Amino acid sequence: MINSNLFHELEKIVDAAEETFLVFSQSIPSQDLGFVDPKAATLELELAGKNLSILQSPTLLASNRKGGTTGAGQPLLAAASPDNVFFRKGIIKSSSTVIELGCGVSGIVGLALAHRVSRYLATDQEYVSKFLKQNWDNNIVTQDISKHRVSKKKKRPQASDPGNTSNLRFLALDWETDSVHSLPVLVDGADKAEELVIDAVIACDCIYNESLIAPFVRTCADLCQLGNGARSDVLTYCIVAQQLRSPGVFEAWLDAFMDLFMVWRIPDALLSDGLKGGSGYVVHAGVLKLELE
């Protein structure tokens, strides 16, 4: 059973083509692929009343690496606001465990939200960890760049350093090659990865390459299903915020996402100005169909 009144206020999406037409029929400003300034080595940003100094790699942003540059450009600052609709409606709360896909070198969504939840796990490919660690070091006192990596091998995961009490952690995760079922045990008292209880999966601006759609959606579904055995009273919500770039890529993602999830678009009335219609961004939320059976 869906445990938030948010979804009772929304109309479920039933047709990917219709949804694509609706979101792309609005005026979409040109935003340089979402980058604040792709040539700057350092960005000075304000988020939730805090000043952040974010290092980035102009070389990385301009690269054509197979793995992409997920999250390396402009983060969705409005989506990262601790006052967003998911807090207001109780989907994310102080007791929540949240996993982010594609945190990028900035790690800015984690910086904004980690202190508001019980546990925040930021994931991306290994190559982002150098800049990510610097950004976390520059903007918070404690953090944990985990030495562990999600593996496609079914080995028993090892716990992170118990001496570090930070609730903000990083774990290398490749959607195409890694299995979420070998996640290191990050929840106190969990005996195995399947007991990792996840309240929300967040992905900000990860959908820009059609070849990544299938592994991305599969990873979202696997994470949402991961904690099913540990509880039956609370659902895992998958929150996907993205910049509107290509109608074809968007529709392909939504088609694949709707195969496994019930999906809703968050309307303007519940969004901050930075994500409303005409901003060039859109936010969807999904619940795994298996969780509703």
Side-chain angles (χ1 to χ4, degrees), residues 156-169:
R156 179 179 175 83
Q158 300 179 16
S160 297
D161 179 9
N164 192 321
T165 59
S166 171
N167 68 335
L168 176 59
R169 303 165 186 245

Side-chain angles (χ1 to χ4, degrees), residues 70 101-102 123-125 173-178 206 212 215-216 219:
T70 307
L101 298 178
T123 73
D124 208 317
Q125 297 189 66
L173 173 62
D174 188 310
W175 309 332
E176 294 184 285
T177 62
D178 295 331
C206 291
L212 293 177
F216 169 76
T219 300

Side-chain angles (χ1 to χ4, degrees), residues 38-56:
K39 297 181 180 180
T42 304
L43 300 175
E44 303 297 330
L45 305 172
E46 182 177 347
L47 179 62
K50 297 181 180 180
N51 294 321
L52 302 178
S53 179
I54 301 297
L55 300 176
Q56 65 177 6

Side-chain angles (χ1 to χ4, degrees), residues 19 21 28 53 82 94 176 187 205:
E19 175 70 357
F21 173 79
I28 300 176
S53 179
S94 60
E176 294 184 285
V187 175
D205 213 21

